[in-house]
Structures are given as structure tokens and as C-alpha cells.
Amino acid sequence: MDALKSRIRSVPDFPKPGILFYDITTLLRDAEGFKAAIDAIASPYAGQGIALVVGIESRGFILGAAVADRLGVGFCPIRKPGKLPAKTIKESFNLEYGSDAIEIHADAVDPGQKVLIVDDVLATGGTARAAARLVKSLGGDLRGLAFLIELEALNGRKQLEGERVYSVLKY
Ligand code: AMP
């Protein structure tokens, strides 16, 4: 885990004063680090019957797509409003810095399909909670939410009560 942490860069006051931003680009550019990160996120879910990985824009696409490939399943993006071309459903939420909304294609999850949500950082949990709601409102069987990084002081898990939450690195 130290090998992963040492490859993540923390940038003070980005995107605004007071936020310590965990920059995973320094991890992703390192072949060993990237592989170890995907191994760590995916391994608890191997053989668990996950049928679809849902990744949250935008760093959740990078990690989620690789996790999906590792598990041998499909990938589905959750995006910022107005980006997905076909019929969508939408959820609004509060962010650590600001508020936002996310969308998923209305036909992206089959009823009863076992879904894993992946993102890079669990901060306040607003984004992940909205993503969980989207998956569940399409009838998906949400088996878990997996994060590379959890910022424990922000209590994101509280927003996700009743869900199975897994994080690789805790700060
Ligand atoms: P939240 O909804 O507060 O849990 O925020 C989660 C989303 O915001 C994730 O998609 C992260 O990529 C991003 N995020 C929030 N806080 C940070 C941070 N301190 N460093 C890097 N990314 C963050």
C-alpha cells in the first residue's frame, strides 16, 4: 500500500483554497503502480458474479474500465449532464467543492444485473451516493462501491450506509 501511496501526488489548494487534491496521474503513468492499483481494486470482486462495472466521470473511467477488463465484464460510464447521447436519468448531489449532477443511460443496466461502482476518491460521498441511486433506480443489484482512495475525515461512508464500501488507501 505504501508503494501506491508513494506514487500519488497531493496538491494543496486545488481546485480551490483549502482542498488537498489527490492526483493519481503520477500513479497511472507508472506501469507497476497502475497494475498494482487495478489489482487492489479488482481482487476482492473476482469470482463474485459482478456483471458490470460502472465508472464515475472522469477518473472513475480510467480505473473502472481497467477493473472491468480485469474482471472480464462490461463497463458503463456515469457522466456529467448533457454528455450522454441517448435517453438518460439524472441525480443531483453536493460535492466537497460545489454541487453537481450526474447521468446514466436509461438502458445501461439490466434489471437484477450485479453492478460494481468504481471511482478514484471517496470524499464527502455525495457523488457515490448519487451513482448508487442511479444504478438502483435502473433495477441494478449494487454489489459494492470500490475506491482507490478514501478521505476518512470527510465521512463519505455515512452517505453510503447500507452499501458495501471498499477502499484501497485511507487518508
Ligand atoms: P465526493 O462527492 O465529495 O465524495 O467527491 C468525490 C469526487 O470528487 C470524486 O469523483 C473525486 O474524483 C473528486 N474529489 C473530491 N475530493 C477530492 C480530492 N481531495 N482529491 C481528488 N479528487 C477529489
Side-chain angles (χ1 to χ4, degrees):
M1 293 308 137
D2 283 351
L4 292 178
K5 278 195 172 178
S6 67
R7 289 172 163 99
I8 293 169
R9 170 164 59 192
S10 48
V11 182
D13 300 320
F14 184 89
K16 63 184 202 186
I19 303 293
L20 181 63
F21 191 89
Y22 290 89
D23 174 20
I24 64 165
T25 64
T26 43
L27 170 72
L28 298 173
R29 69 182 290 279
D30 181 288
E32 273 177 33
F34 187 21
K35 183 179 182 306
I38 300 307
D39 285 345
I41 299 169
S43 58
Y45 303 100
Q48 301 294 307
I50 301 293
L52 182 71
V53 172
V54 169
I56 306 173
E57 185 165 357
S58 58
R59 291 176 297 273
F61 295 172
I62 301 167
L63 298 177
V67 168
D69 185 63
R70 187 66 53 88
L71 294 175
V73 304
F75 174 81
C76 161
I78 281 183
R79 298 210 63 181
K80 304 264 166 69
K83 300 282 190 186
L84 291 169
K87 185 170 181 248
T88 58
I89 60 167
K90 179 174 181 167
E91 275 282 338
S92 299
F93 60 96
N94 294 315
L95 262 185
E96 188 186 4
Y97 37 85
S99 73
D100 216 337
I102 50 175
E103 296 181 341
I104 191 170
H105 271 142
D107 60 357
V109 177
D110 297 330
Q113 196 170 26
K114 289 187 170 56
V115 173
L116 173 67
I117 291 174
V118 172
D119 203 0
D120 63 336
V121 175
L122 175 61
T124 66
T127 313
R129 186 164 79 154
R133 285 185 174 166
L134 289 174
V135 166
K136 288 172 146 184
S137 61
L138 294 179
D141 176 7
L142 183 58
R143 306 303 291 181
L145 298 100
F147 304 88
L148 180 60
I149 294 167
E150 177 176 1
L151 306 182
E152 290 183 303
L154 296 174
N155 278 321
R157 271 179 198 259
K158 256 198 113 182
Q159 300 278 347
L160 299 170
E161 249 159 27
E163 304 298 348
R164 282 157 283 205
V165 177
Y166 167 63
S167 62
V168 176
L169 304 173
K170 291 164 177 56
Y171 287 86

